Amino acid sequence: MPLAQNVVSLEDMTHESHTGHHHGQGQRHGHDHASGLPEQLDLDAAVFGSYLADVTAWARRLVPASPRTIVDLGAGTGTGSLALAEAFPTAHVVAVDKSTVMLERVRAAAGAAGLGDRVATVQADVDEAWPALGAVDVIWASSSLHEVADPQRVLRDACSALVPGGLMLAVEMDALPRFLPDDVGLGRPGLEARCHEALAQAGWNGYEDWSLPMERAGFDGVERRSFPIRVNPEPTIAVRYAQGFLGRIRSALDGRLSAEDAGALDSLLAGKDPRQLLVRGDLHVVGSRTAWAARRR
Ligand SMILES: C[S@@+](CC[C@H](N)C(=O)[O-])C[C@H]1O[C@@H](n2cnc3c(N)ncnc32)[C@H](O)[C@@H]1O
């Protein structure tokens, strides 16, 4: 069964990190750290970090009492690892990633947050094999399950790695982020909505529902929850985030927008236009994540 079709992902937020958006089995992202994914992950955390408090609060109600070992699978720069270490003071968090660049950032961030003694890193490509981590109480996989070559196999491995009753949590971005007011002062109102409609037609709006793959992997009682996010980050951060995303979608929208809408988007992104993003004070950031939780049988 193909698990991944068209996934909205954090890599989509980086410029030119890849060229396609139809991620099926065997067509997953390659990582190009030169493309700025680590920076984008940190920016994502700065913008959307507040949702982590909501997801970890939810996790706290589900997690077995006083977990000792939590694995952050596909940890990236460690936003989740740090949030987990803070939310579960009894736990050691093991950040697993195939990228040494990411893991260096995890170590630096953990050290800076005073959590260096409770956050360890393990470099492993789970497409090759599940690393030897000992007994694990909780596994957290945020925006990473859709990246592995065979999520069903990785879920099975994750299930086997957990102690009986141990908790698996998966999180995915489930909608494109929104930034713009309805009327941006250029062309017809509704530019962003039309961009998203065009992207949906290009297959950008799907995300994977991990419920069934989790059940098949040996998990019981899958709970699924949506976490809407609306934030007003510091304006320069909102602008950087919006520029990154709108710049990324601009090329995907080639030939899919009216000339008027394409021109309006270009004006927003152009450095010299007075209505460009940088001088706007009316950007908000709206996004959404879906999380799944289930226990090992
Ligand atoms: C989009 S990032 C998400 C990072 C972080 N969990 C977050 O939510 O900010 C996905 C991460 O998964 C890692 N990853 C992808 N495939 C992997 C694999 N087969 N084994 C280990 N890590 C993998 C990537 O290197 C990347 O750091």
Side-chain angles (χ1 to χ4, degrees), residues 54-130:
D54 297 337
V55 187
T56 49
W58 183 54
R60 260 205 307 271
R61 293 202 292 278
L62 303 169
V63 161
S66 309
R68 278 175 303 173
T69 305
I70 300 179
V71 167
D72 181 6
L73 180 59
T77 51
T79 310
S81 307
L82 266 53
L84 290 163
E86 275 159 12
F88 298 101
T90 58
H92 277 85
V93 177
V94 184
V96 175
D97 206 288
K98 66 180 180 184
S99 157
T100 50
V101 175
M102 293 291 191
L103 293 176
E104 273 163 29
R105 292 177 83 118
V106 176
R107 285 192 292 275
L115 293 167
D117 56 336
R118 287 202 297 118
V119 177
T121 58
V122 169
Q123 194 269 326
D125 182 343
V126 294
D127 286 337
E128 287 167 13
W130 187 265

Side-chain angles (χ1 to χ4, degrees), residues 4 16 18 22 35 48 58 71 86 132 151 175 211 217 229 231 234-236 247:
E16 275 125 39
H18 62 100
H22 300 269
S35 72
F48 284 134
W58 183 54
V71 167
E86 275 159 12
S211 308
I229 313 162
V231 284
E234 204 250 300
T236 54

Side-chain angles (χ1 to χ4, degrees), residues 11 31 41 74-76 97-98 102 124-127 142-144 147:
E11 302 87 311
H31 269 164
L41 292 178
D97 206 288
K98 66 180 180 184
M102 293 291 191
D125 182 343
V126 294
D127 286 337
S142 169
S143 294
S144 54
E147 284 201 14

